[in-house]
Amino acid sequence: KQEVTQIPAALSVPEGENLVLNCSFTDSAIYNLQWFRQDPGKGLTSLLLIQSSQREQTSGRLNASLDKSSGRSTLYIAASQPGDSATYLCARGGSEKLVFGKGTKLTVNP
Amino acid sequence: NAGVTQTPKFQVLKTGQSMTLQCAQDMNHEYMSWYRQDPGMGLRLIHYSVGAGITDQGEVPNGYNVSRSTTEDFPLRLLSAAPSQTSVYFCASRGPTGGNTGELFFGEGSRLTVL
């Protein structure tokens, strides 16, 4: 069974800190790796999509990397802000289905 | 651009009742899917469709039925609701370009409680 693991489950940091969220997956034969943000009571918002042929993607203060050989992806958030507080989920894309991790709940304290 | 629209946002059912969760997208996406999200379980795929007239089962399909008569709509039917189906349901769609490698877009969710 394909597994996606996100560690830690929760993270609390002071405002301004740079941080890294981790995502690991068991099957390296992936199509893509997608990072999402979910605010309480809301749907998932796509942040970054990394195709299997790519190593990283950047959007503003966010940078996501993909290492298929080690089965890992990281989401780097620079200069964190209280508005970044949310749950971040990664999803491994296969042939027809995405497998989600359970997420990392991030709290950025002012 | 509305994206992915789900209705209703909230619903309370009694055990044994049936209902349909509606999902519509206006992005001409071929791929559509339904997930349920439960505390501690994460997001789990219920059913998905790769185009009109084509559906397939996901990880947790029992108790749910789907059909895809148009590209825009992908309703999820609960045939006889059970308390175990209390959850938040999300519909998602993916673009036609790039096939399996497209970005997944989610609706806002439908919160269902079965008493």
Side-chain angles (χ1 to χ4, degrees):
Chain A
K1 180 181 178 182
Q2 300 162 359
E3 297 280 349
V4 178
T5 304
Q6 292 186 250
I7 295 174
L11 181 64
S12 181
V13 301
E15 181 177 3
E17 188 163 301
N18 302 325
L19 59 100
V20 174
L21 305 181
N22 296 298
C23 173
S24 61
F25 46 91
T26 55
D27 186 353
S28 61
I30 67 172
Y31 281 72
N32 58 42
L33 195 292
Q34 194 167 356
W35 282 92
F36 297 87
R37 168 185 172 138
Q38 186 175 28
D39 294 289
K42 299 293 187 180
L44 279 72
T45 300
S46 177
L47 297 174
L48 290 165
L49 170 68
I50 311 174
Q51 304 290 357
S52 62
S53 59
Q54 299 173 324
R55 294 296 298 271
E56 65 177 341
Q57 282 285 342
T58 298
S59 176
R61 295 182 294 109
L62 305 179
N63 176 276
S65 66
L66 175 64
D67 185 343
K68 291 190 297 179
S69 62
S70 65
R72 295 182 63 183
S73 177
T74 60
L75 178 66
Y76 175 83
I77 303 177
S80 59
Q81 303 170 358
D84 294 331
S85 298
T87 297
Y88 291 80
L89 298 99
C90 66
R92 171 201 173 285
S95 57
E96 298 293 355
K97 308 171 186 178
L98 269 70
V99 178
F100 282 82
K102 294 183 179 179
T104 294
K105 184 176 181 180
L106 174 65
T107 302
V108 182
N109 301 301
Chain B
N1 189 349
V4 180
T5 302
Q6 291 184 233
T7 56
K9 288 184 167 51
F10 301 94
Q11 183 72 48
V12 178
L13 290 178
K14 295 181 179 179
T15 297
Q17 287 185 318
S18 63
M19 76 157 299
T20 299
L21 299 177
Q22 301 290 346
C23 175
Q25 52 87 14
D26 60 0
M27 298 175 280
N28 197 32
H29 286 172
E30 293 292 331
Y31 180 95
M32 297 185 73
S33 55
W34 278 101
Y35 289 85
R36 61 178 288 174
Q37 186 175 38
D38 302 289
M41 301 294 293
L43 279 150
R44 293 179 292 171
L45 182 64
I46 305 172
H47 285 285
Y48 66 97
S49 169
V50 297
I54 306 170
T55 64
D56 206 346
Q57 296 180 349
E59 182 183 357
V60 288
N62 292 340
Y64 307 95
N65 197 8
V66 293
S67 59
R68 184 93 179 271
S69 56
T70 67
T71 298
E72 293 77 20
D73 301 298
F74 190 45
L76 178 71
R77 298 181 185 85
L78 280 71
L79 307 174
S80 178
S84 61
Q85 294 179 304
T86 293
S87 187
V88 181
Y89 292 85
F90 289 101
C91 179
S93 72
R94 188 171 63 201
T97 58
N100 298 325
T101 58
E103 185 178 7
L104 198 64
F105 294 92
F106 278 80
E108 286 291 305
S110 297
R111 286 146 184 81
L112 175 67
T113 301
V114 183
L115 303 175

